[in-house]
Amino acid sequence: MNFDLGGDLPAFVQYAAGQDRQPAPRQERAEDTPVWVSFSNEDIKGLGDAFYFKDQDAVFKNRNASVFLAKTSELGLLNGLMHAKYHKCAGFFTHSTPDSAKDDLQPPPVSASLAYTIDKKDQVEAMLKLAEEKGLTGTINSLSAFKNRYYTSVTGVDSSKWLQNRWKELAGGREDISVAAFKHSNWAQESVILTVQGASEPQKIIVLGGHMDSIARGGDNSVAPGADDNASGIAALTEAIRVLAASGYRPAKTLKFMAYAAEEVGLRGSQDIAATFKREGRQVDGVIQFDMTNYNGSAEDVFLITDHTNASQNAFLANLVRTYTDYKLGETRCGYACSDHASWTKNGFPASFPFEAKFSEDNPNIHSAKDTIAQSGGHSKHALKFAKLAIAYLVEMAK
Ligand code: BES
Ligand code: ZN
């Protein structure tokens, strides 16, 4: 590479290589053109004081990489530093626009070892035995007792607080489990995130989610029990959390259970969260969405939504169903970004969405005062299948 040298290259290089005490001062040139350079944060750490950009000078930064505004004449200097320390030719990337530099802050690709294997049979089967319908019915009844769970209403906020407390109770005294609100700047209802810290690969994240809000004509003042849409999805997640805690199971990767606010008004809560995870460069190895699980409207039990989802992970889910259950499988399409899985897909993460029925045979009472558990027979037998699928998914994904 042939760069114009903007600083005292030999002095910097000696310093970076650990052969000298003081780095040479940075020099500037009048004719310089701006250039954006991105480095991995690990490389920056290793360079120590020889790296003359300071953290606060970063134009963008996430947990993997940082972007700095440099001058063309400095590239030779940077190249020399990186070569002396890491024996890499360059080892950083240059960009002529900040947008192209920003692209370097994308989440890393999913880990190469993500092979979608099924080999935790004893663990899964032991946990499946603990899953109970009564837990699901309890959650559906508690959530649908709020007049509505609309994203701007008082009861919408109260229901989020209720769920935070319920999940905290289930976490018990475990130090590796925490519950936090994810606050959104434009509305009052908070999303809820329960995290089970991974025991050996905590930076790898598996997300199990569903929306907590409900909607019906009338907004803030509506009667919107949302028993199926989507107290039933939150119930499946809550039962999986209960079983996880009761069994003493500890995942290798980090599990995040998410109850999203404001789905019914344009997937707003999940978009906020997925975009934040992308911006922060987090490694999300898999996402599963539970939205409507308790209305048994079709001959088959579990339908995999094929659009706005990840085909490889869907195939893995189908294998989980065949391995651990006798549920009949179907496939169906929404035809549009119908739920929060689409927020993750849009941000580059592999997402799946197992659904209660064929799209055309789903619960006809949603988004009205009639979306009660009575419309699902007053029980949670169908939702229990999804709680079990959540358990099989989390154990086989978080290993
Ligand atoms: N639970 C529904 C999505 C759904 C409904 C999936 C019927 C499959 C069958 C979800 O809560 C919802 O209502 N989504 C909105 C779209 C969203 C972008 C506001 C919808 O479907 O209109
Ligand atoms: Zn819904």
Side-chain angles (χ1 to χ4, degrees):
M1 242 185 264
N2 230 337
F3 291 122
D4 183 15
L5 302 185
D8 181 352
L9 178 59
F12 260 107
V13 168
Q14 275 184 0
Y15 182 72
Q19 293 157 9
D20 202 356
R21 282 160 189 270
Q22 284 301 315
R26 212 177 148 194
Q27 292 175 13
E28 298 208 333
R29 293 200 177 182
E31 74 278 14
D32 274 341
T33 49
V35 63
W36 285 265
V37 287
S38 57
F39 295 84
S40 86
N41 293 335
E42 238 170 68
D43 281 356
I44 292 174
K45 237 203 231 150
L47 283 171
D49 290 346
F51 190 70
Y52 49 78
F53 291 114
K54 293 291 154 258
D55 212 37
Q56 63 267 25
D57 300 332
V59 188
F60 316 108
K61 182 181 169 80
N62 68 18
R63 59 175 58 211
N64 303 307
S66 303
V67 174
F68 299 91
L69 178 56
K71 298 186 170 155
T72 314
S73 64
E74 287 177 297
L75 293 175
L77 185 56
L78 290 168
N79 192 36
L81 277 180
M82 296 294 277
H83 197 262
K85 184 78 186 175
Y86 300 115
H87 307 286
K88 300 185 190 183
C89 187
F92 58 91
F93 295 93
T94 58
H95 311 264
S96 51
T97 66
D99 277 348
S100 130
K102 237 182 185 170
D103 284 348
D104 261 9
L105 302 189
Q106 298 303 312
V110 291
S111 62
S113 62
L114 201 62
Y116 294 122
T117 56
I118 297 182
D119 52 18
K120 291 283 175 193
K121 281 199 170 180
D122 292 350
Q123 179 73 54
V124 172
E125 280 165 3
M127 285 169 72
L128 288 183
K129 283 196 194 118
L130 301 178
E132 288 181 352
E133 189 196 337
K134 70 168 193 246
L136 291 139
T137 305
T139 304
I140 294 174
N141 282 334
S142 296
L143 283 174
S144 49
F146 289 92
K147 184 178 172 196
N148 65 60
R149 301 187 303 278
Y150 196 60
Y151 78 126
T152 51
S153 73
V154 171
T155 49
V157 171
D158 289 349
S159 59
S160 167
K161 297 286 184 204
W162 179 84
L163 190 65
Q164 287 172 44
N165 287 330
R166 180 73 190 119
W167 283 8
K168 276 181 192 156
E169 267 170 31
L170 290 173
R174 266 177 65 165
E175 281 181 3
D176 59 334
I177 307 184
S178 56
V179 179
F182 187 105
K183 295 182 201 293
H184 303 280
S185 36
N186 296 320
W187 64 88
Q189 186 180 55
E190 297 168 340
S191 295
V192 181
I193 303 182
L194 179 144
T195 302
V196 188
Q197 182 77 359
S200 56
E201 296 193 288
Q203 76 288 359
K204 298 180 181 173
I205 298 169
I206 308 296
V207 172
L208 298 96
H211 68 92
M212 69 162 79
D213 63 320
S214 70
I215 198 168
R217 213 179 269 272
D220 277 354
N221 286 314
S222 63
V223 176
D228 192 36
D229 185 9
N230 181 34
S232 70
I234 300 298
L237 296 172
T238 303
E239 183 60 9
I241 293 168
R242 191 191 68 74
V243 166
L244 182 157
S247 67
Y249 164 76
R250 286 179 187 261
K253 298 184 186 179
T254 293
L255 289 170
K256 284 186 181 281
F257 292 86
M258 300 193 178
Y260 308 112
E263 186 267 358
E264 298 285 10
V265 288
L267 318 179
R268 293 177 69 181
S270 59
Q271 293 219 57
D272 197 3
I273 294 174
T276 300
F277 273 51
K278 177 183 176 181
R279 194 173 59 245
E280 293 177 351
R282 295 200 187 223
Q283 181 174 338
V284 178
D285 278 355
V287 178
I288 192 166
Q289 171 73 1
F290 294 97
D291 183 2
M292 300 171 65
T293 67
N294 204 29
Y295 181 84
N296 195 351
S298 300
E300 295 84 354
D301 299 291
V302 172
F303 283 80
L304 299 178
I305 302 274
T306 55
D307 55 341
H308 299 270
T309 56
N310 179 281
S312 309
Q313 191 181 249
N314 292 346
F316 168 67
L317 264 187
N319 279 337
L320 285 178
V321 169
R322 286 189 282 264
T323 305
Y324 290 116
T325 76
D326 54 6
Y327 311 151
K328 285 207 180 79
L329 267 169
E331 285 188 348
T332 193
R333 280 170 53 83
C334 271
Y336 60 102
C338 64
S339 191
D340 303 299
H341 60 296
S343 300
W344 293 98
T345 299
K346 186 174 146 193
N347 282 286
F349 301 108
S352 296
F353 180 14
F355 188 66
E356 65 184 12
K358 200 176 284 178
F359 183 71
S360 55
E361 295 173 352
D362 72 302
N363 192 333
N365 305 296
I366 65 167
H367 302 173
S368 80
K370 287 199 286 189
D371 184 5
T372 63
I373 196 168
Q375 301 293 335
S376 299
H379 57 76
S380 306
K381 294 194 196 319
H382 203 48
L384 180 60
K385 300 169 193 167
F386 292 82
K388 290 186 174 176
L389 188 51
I391 290 166
Y393 174 82
L394 74 89
V395 173
E396 295 287 5
M397 284 297 285
K399 63 196 176 197

